[in-house]
Amino acid sequence: MLRMQSVLQRALRIPVPEPAALPARRASPGVGRLGIAAVVALVAVAAAWVVHGQRLGRSLARDVIAHVTDEPESLIPNRAPPPAATVAAVLAGRRVAVPESLGEVVYARTCVFHGRQIPHLVVRTAEGLVSVLILPDEHVAWSIGLAERGLGARLIPAPRGVVAVAADSGVTEATKAGVAAALATEV
């Protein structure tokens, strides 16, 4: 999918001359049909790529929601924050720093997700707790959201993976996206 995205991005960057600059010529009768067929094929490939990407993203979002619900201890509302050394150890080697403006980290653990060790943080925001999973081995082409099991998840593409956030319905999409975006620039 990433290679296909790269090919499509390069194709969209090809410069096209202004219509007045094009030489006047008659197209052969077959060129119109061939051009239409090429456009239809390109649209079909792009649509299949988008649908496939959405399915993969939704599946990943479901896995994030399942992981968060399988760790109910992470969502204890009045939890005392862990020591800064614990948060640093969980994030060690991940090139991630939690901006102070993000909120207070009240949970920090290394978890297994899709067979790999990943950081799992919970941040206390003004709207409530937001679970954050740093997924360096996952990829999404665009931001994807999903709501299930009383939680809403948002996946944000990052330079080296995905930042996934999940929170209950009291936390707005804007807050979830803001938490994820603040960390996505670091991942």
Side-chain angles (χ1 to χ4, degrees):
M1 281 181 30
L2 292 174
R3 266 187 268 148
M4 175 61 99
Q5 182 181 6
S6 175
V7 168
L8 288 173
Q9 285 176 339
R10 283 194 308 258
L12 292 173
R13 286 190 206 120
I14 296 172
V16 178
E18 291 295 321
L22 294 174
R25 65 171 223 196
R26 274 186 63 203
S28 65
V31 171
R33 290 187 191 129
L34 183 60
I36 290 171
V39 167
V40 168
L42 181 61
V43 167
V45 168
W49 177 73
V50 167
V51 168
H52 181 68
Q54 286 178 336
R55 283 188 188 145
L56 289 176
R58 285 192 182 112
S59 175
L60 181 60
R62 278 188 189 93
D63 292 347
V64 167
I65 290 171
H67 180 85
V68 170
T69 57
D70 287 346
E71 283 190 35
E73 70 277 8
S74 69
L75 299 174
I76 296 172
N78 297 321
R79 176 187 297 276
T86 300
V87 176
V90 167
L91 296 175
R94 298 293 180 174
R95 298 184 212 154
V96 176
V98 179
E100 287 184 25
S101 62
L102 188 60
E104 181 179 40
V105 175
V106 295
Y107 180 86
R109 297 275 161 74
T110 299
C111 297
V112 175
F113 184 86
H114 287 180
R116 294 182 175 90
Q117 298 285 325
I118 58 110
H120 178 174
L121 306 174
V122 176
V123 177
R124 183 177 294 133
T125 70
E127 295 178 1
L129 298 177
V130 178
S131 293
V132 180
L133 280 64
I134 309 293
L135 308 172
D137 297 314
E138 302 292 344
H139 301 283
V140 294
W142 52 83
S143 176
I144 296 172
L146 180 73
E148 285 187 355
R149 298 185 190 185
L151 292 176
R154 168 105 3 233
L155 308 177
I156 303 286
R160 291 178 299 276
V162 172
V163 174
V165 295
D168 67 25
S169 60
V171 178
T172 64
E173 281 297 311
T175 295
K176 287 185 279 195
V179 168
L183 291 167
T185 60
E186 303 290 331
V187 175

